[in-house]
Amino acid sequence: MNIFKKSGEKLHLATIEESRQMIISAKMPPYVEQIASKELEMLSKMSSATAEFTIGLNYIDYLVSLPWNVKTKDNLDLSRAESILNERHYGLAEVKERILEHLAVKIFVTNKKPRILVVDDEETARKNLEHVLRKENYTIVTASSGVEAIKKLEISDFDVVLTDLKMEKVNGIEVLKKTKIKYPNTQVIVITAYASVDSAVEAIKKDAFHYIAKPYRLDEVRNVVKQAIEKKLSNVSTKGSILCFSGPPGTGKTSMGKSIADALGRKFARISMGGMKDEAEIRGHRRTYVGAMPGRIIEEIRRAGSANPVLMMDEVDKIGHDFKGDPASALLEVLDPEQNQSFIDHYVDVPFDLSSVLFIVTANIADYIQEPLRDRTEVIEFSGYTEDEKKKIALNHLVPKQTHEQGLSDCQPEFSAETISKIIQGYTREAGIRNLERNIATVCRKIATEFVHHKDTVRNIKVSPDMVENYLGPRKYYSEVTNEKNQIGIATGLVWTEVGGDIIFIEAARMKGKRELILTGSLGNVMCESAQAALSYIRSNASLFNIPEDFFENHDIHIHVPAGAIPKDGPSAGATIAIALISLLTGCPARRDVAVSGELTLSGRILPIGGIKEKLLAARQAGVKIVVLPFKNKVDVDNLHEDVKKELEIRLADTVEEIINTVLIK
Ligand code: ADP
């Protein structure tokens, strides 16, 4: 019995000692090391058989494993970054331009020669500091008194101010206050004699970066100044620069984030915010809970192994209101450069500096992001691709990538442009290229399987359009428009959803009843109101369209939008609903290959709408010939690339009356 007890104690001591060594060699910031040591001290008095002991030990392990001081060095070579982006991503010229501008500012700020103001009333000390720091290649300006320092601060700003604490008239604290009011990002280091350490502590409380006690070692000065400059730069270069990539799935947002990380030489990490229901997923659980875990942010940073990764937060527009806790404030704290220097994860319970993380958030529709969050970001739109673009991306990027991933590098199958076209048209309906990539992967996999079955037939295969059915099965999509007849009471519309543009058909029917408007097809509130407005408009202007004034007497009107399982909303169906109703009530069939999109007012005017590019892409894919859009969207239409408008006739209209002749067949 005694032997067991003794060997248990030995193990206990060994575990404690091992943790102590880990803490020492982890080189954590002093305040973290202190906490870890205190925790270990407590554990050393506890029995190792208790649950608290294991929890405490895990906590220490976790603290030790965080990259407190590990940062990758940024590769600030703009032309290298440019070639990485160009090589990996086809097109997206505007997106790339904005990202490169963003990097350029960062490079510019980082490469600028740091400016330092040295304030000391003792000439020798001043000269000494000036001499040492100038050697480090900083621009040095000196001031021989607090008064002079304040004058110099009025004229220009500095990255770092190094000031003596005790000076006549205006002392170091005054210099610190003045600097912080005028330039909150400038870092102030105070120099103090041993006797005045108390005032140095006061200075730190007033937001000084650090204090150096006299007599100081020159090494110490160099180091502290270097750290202060780093802090200033990380503040400036990340400030207000949270990028938000917004666009439908499969348009290259994630891969672009990864390329930015590669261009900068940083680690890349990703968190999906979409399914998050609880603030603790961001911020972690308190350790008092059994099974408490750190939040995703800290965990991803730990996994990345560096304190300055590119951290992508996906789907921030999906953070719901059913979220437990306050997601907005949790995320804002993470993204706000003022607050994230000391981000506290509930589990870690010690501040972790997130200020050098490069955050990128993504969303399908930027408008759905909660306002305070959206305000902090710089939104970059990724819109859908045209068929030509998809073809080029497929041939130059997706096919080589998939042949490699499916192990076919030695005998690459050849895809012709026609084959890719056939896959795009027959097997995908999307704004991005996710399904296209998936289908190409399927073809490659099937080819690999064939090779395995017939070992002797490994060779380069030319995948022709005829072979597509063999690999992918029967065609999944047909043009929704070309093979269908024009009908009375059915009008073609265009909607914009988070997965891109889409075509809809609005059906209207009239039957005997009690003046009821029936709306079906999972319509949202806005769309229901659009239908009511369209009906009221037609009732009040019946004579204009040669419709009997009493058409609603003793009748019901039913408006239905098929594909009822998919929720639909938005104001842009107003004009289409009006056309479906006029077609129904006048008995003139509506052209199926003419799509109408526009918000309708009660007086019959057509108001502008969003998502024009996505809608046009969807229209062309569905085989639409003419698209009618609000006149007020003319600028948007003019700004679109010709490729997007190819094969489509676009007509602009201000009122419903102007649309009628285009759509209805008299
Ligand atoms: P998202 O994050 O927008 O859903 P992804 O970045 O996951 O899209 O892209 C899906 C796939 O399409 C990836 O394999 C990506 O490399 C590829 N891709 C998307 N856009 C481009 C492009 N412009 N050039 C090359 N490949 C692209």
Side-chain angles (χ1 to χ4, degrees):
M1 191 70 181
N2 233 348
I3 299 173
F4 281 134
K5 201 173 167 197
K6 269 204 173 141
S7 70
E9 268 170 21
K10 242 186 185 168
L11 193 68
H12 180 78
L13 285 177
T15 317
I16 297 282
E17 189 48 38
E18 196 183 320
S19 294
R20 185 164 293 133
Q21 287 310 321
M22 262 166 43
I23 293 174
I24 293 168
S25 52
K27 298 214 173 61
M28 301 186 279
Y31 59 95
V32 186
E33 197 172 320
Q34 231 173 27
I35 290 194
S37 303
K38 229 189 218 167
E39 181 81 21
L40 192 67
E41 191 60 39
M42 249 162 52
L43 294 187
S44 65
K45 291 174 198 147
M46 247 183 227
S47 151
S48 54
T50 57
E52 283 81 5
F53 183 84
T54 320
I55 292 175
L57 211 59
N58 285 345
Y59 173 61
I60 294 175
D61 278 354
Y62 199 81
L63 284 187
V64 167
S65 69
L66 286 175
W68 296 97
N69 286 320
V70 188
K71 280 187 192 167
T72 50
K73 190 162 167 31
D74 278 351
N75 189 332
L76 295 175
D77 178 348
L78 198 62
S79 55
R80 177 175 168 271
E82 190 169 1
S83 54
I84 287 184
L85 296 191
N86 283 336
E87 215 162 89
R88 298 196 189 166
H89 303 269
Y90 172 82
L92 300 173
E94 238 171 88
V95 174
K96 286 178 191 164
E97 193 182 321
R98 286 185 67 181
I99 290 172
L100 289 173
E101 280 168 14
H102 193 87
L103 291 184
V105 172
K106 200 174 163 54
I107 292 170
F108 183 70
V109 174
T110 316
N111 287 351
K112 220 176 62 180
K113 207 166 158 183
R115 280 169 57 81
I116 299 178
L117 176 64
V118 175
V119 192
D120 204 319
D121 49 5
E122 260 179 58
E123 193 177 349
T124 346
R126 203 170 59 235
K127 285 254 156 78
N128 226 342
L129 285 172
E130 184 183 2
H131 178 72
V132 172
L133 294 174
R134 195 154 273 157
K135 267 202 189 151
E136 298 293 301
N137 207 15
Y138 304 135
T139 304
I140 309 291
V141 175
T142 56
S144 57
S145 68
V147 180
E148 193 186 345
I150 285 181
K151 269 191 203 145
K152 295 214 156 137
L153 281 164
E154 287 291 346
I155 310 167
S156 65
D157 76 342
F158 296 88
D159 296 301
V160 173
V161 174
L162 198 63
T163 177
D164 191 16
L165 205 52
K166 254 193 165 165
M167 289 181 293
E168 300 264 305
K169 284 191 193 155
V170 174
N171 65 13
I173 297 282
E174 304 279 323
V175 174
L176 164 68
K177 273 198 221 152
K178 178 81 190 172
T179 313
K180 282 288 168 186
I181 290 171
K182 199 142 194 251
Y183 313 105
N185 279 324
T186 298
Q187 302 299 326
V188 181
I189 301 165
V190 293
I191 299 182
T192 157
Y194 271 133
S196 54
V197 167
D198 280 351
S199 22
V201 172
E202 188 197 336
I204 297 285
K205 279 190 193 144
K206 291 211 163 64
D207 220 9
F209 175 74
H210 218 297
Y211 77 85
I212 300 176
K214 282 182 189 169
Y216 41 76
R217 281 177 298 127
L218 292 179
D219 263 6
E220 190 187 357
V221 175
R222 278 192 211 106
N223 256 343
V224 174
V225 170
K226 190 165 160 236
Q227 283 168 16
I229 288 170
E230 267 172 19
K231 170 132 192 221
K232 155 85 199 274
L233 288 183
S234 79
N235 268 0
V236 173
S237 49
T238 50
K239 191 153 262 186
S241 62
I242 296 147
L243 294 174
C244 172
F245 291 173
S246 131
T251 44
K253 300 183 293 296
T254 311
S255 40
M256 187 60 92
K258 198 155 182 323
S259 299
I260 293 177
D262 290 345
L264 281 171
R266 291 195 184 198
K267 297 276 174 41
F268 180 74
R270 214 177 137 198
I271 302 174
S272 175
M273 311 297 287
M276 280 198 189
K277 286 263 181 293
D278 195 337
E279 195 188 330
E281 289 187 59
I282 299 180
R283 244 200 257 263
H285 297 274
R286 287 185 199 288
R287 255 181 315 134
T288 38
Y289 293 104
V290 177
M293 283 194 307
R296 288 294 308 280
I297 302 214
I298 279 291
E299 179 55 18
E300 286 306 323
I301 286 176
R302 189 186 70 88
R303 232 182 273 177
S306 93
N308 63 341
V310 171
L311 186 56
M312 191 167 231
M313 300 200 196
D314 276 336
E315 303 190 317
V316 288
D317 53 341
K318 303 272 163 51
I319 298 177
H321 292 284
D322 55 346
F323 200 95
K324 233 163 75 195
D326 186 358
S329 80
L331 257 191
L332 278 179
E333 187 188 324
V334 170
L335 297 176
D336 185 350
E338 301 289 335
Q339 297 182 53
N340 70 9
Q341 290 168 20
S342 49
F343 169 73
I344 297 193
D345 180 281
H346 288 325
Y347 179 82
V348 174
D349 213 17
V350 214
F352 189 94
D353 184 359
L354 294 180
S355 62
S356 41
V357 175
L358 177 66
F359 288 103
I360 301 178
V361 299
T362 80
N364 289 136
I365 296 184
D367 290 346
Y368 292 175
I369 304 177
Q370 297 186 6
E371 189 108 7
L373 198 59
R374 200 180 58 226
D375 280 353
R376 294 212 181 262
T377 61
E378 182 183 342
V379 178
I380 298 183
E381 297 278 352
F382 283 63
S383 46
Y385 294 115
T386 63
E387 193 176 319
D388 282 348
E389 285 172 326
K390 287 183 184 176
K391 243 189 289 186
K392 289 199 180 107
I393 297 174
L395 291 172
N396 297 329
H397 297 271
L398 304 182
V399 171
K401 182 172 157 200
Q402 286 306 327
T403 46
H404 177 72
E405 275 182 17
Q406 311 303 335
L408 296 173
S409 305
D410 295 338
C411 43
Q412 295 187 8
E414 269 176 50
F415 285 73
S416 66
E418 291 75 36
T419 308
I420 299 289
S421 272
K422 187 164 175 182
I423 299 180
I424 295 173
Q425 287 166 11
Y427 296 85
T428 68
R429 271 289 172 278
E430 57 180 353
I433 47 175
R434 256 196 211 166
N435 284 325
L436 177 58
E437 183 169 22
R438 220 168 275 151
N439 280 306
I440 292 173
T442 308
V443 174
C444 292
R445 230 179 9 251
K446 294 243 155 104
I447 293 174
T449 316
E450 277 173 14
F451 287 164
V452 175
H453 278 311
H454 314 281
K455 274 202 175 100
D456 50 347
T457 59
V458 174
R459 66 204 145 83
N460 286 37
I461 288 188
K462 284 200 169 79
V463 188
S464 67
D466 303 336
M467 295 157 79
V468 171
E469 268 103 356
N470 286 347
Y471 292 124
L472 298 178
R475 190 183 168 117
K476 286 197 188 119
Y477 298 99
Y478 288 89
S479 155
E480 288 97 331
V481 168
T482 9
N483 301 325
E484 300 281 337
K485 273 208 216 110
N486 300 327
Q487 289 188 31
I488 295 172
I490 302 187
T492 308
L494 296 168
V495 288
W496 181 37
T497 68
E498 57 190 42
V499 294
D502 204 0
I503 189 157
I504 53 166
F505 300 98
I506 292 182
E507 307 178 343
R510 188 169 74 129
M511 53 265 177
K512 287 228 166 342
K514 290 185 236 156
R515 295 164 57 106
E516 246 185 89
L517 175 63
I518 305 161
L519 302 167
T520 53
S522 292
L523 309 188
N525 285 345
V526 181
M527 204 142 160
C528 289
E529 284 171 6
S530 294
Q532 274 156 358
L535 181 62
S536 298
Y537 164 67
I538 291 167
R539 284 176 68 193
S540 56
N541 293 279
S543 58
L544 200 65
F545 306 110
N546 293 327
I547 296 171
E549 299 269 347
D550 59 349
F551 73 87
F552 207 32
E553 289 303 318
N554 303 322
H555 281 90
D556 286 347
I557 295 228
H558 186 163
I559 292 172
H560 177 66
V561 188
I566 304 165
K568 308 164 193 81
D569 206 6
S572 69
T576 326
I577 298 173
I579 295 295
L581 285 173
I582 297 171
S583 161
L584 169 77
L585 299 168
T586 55
C588 301
R591 277 181 67 174
R592 212 171 164 91
D593 60 354
V594 180
V596 177
S597 191
E599 181 172 353
L600 179 75
T601 67
L602 269 185
S603 58
R605 282 190 314 121
I606 311 286
L607 299 184
I609 49 166
I612 302 274
K613 181 177 176 190
E614 308 295 340
K615 285 177 177 172
L616 291 182
L617 292 176
R620 194 169 98 194
Q621 190 152 47
V624 166
K625 297 273 176 321
I626 302 176
V627 178
V628 185
L629 295 173
F631 195 84
K632 294 200 172 67
N633 280 112
K634 185 170 188 310
V635 182
D636 305 308
V637 175
D638 289 347
N639 284 342
L640 286 177
H641 199 275
E642 280 310 314
D643 253 7
V644 181
K645 299 184 257 187
K646 214 164 81 180
E647 294 167 25
L648 286 176
E649 183 183 335
I650 296 173
R651 297 195 187 167
L652 302 171
D654 248 338
T655 61
V656 173
E657 293 164 75
E658 290 168 46
I659 304 177
I660 286 178
N661 286 337
T662 311
V663 188
L664 299 189
I665 304 167
K666 295 252 162 78

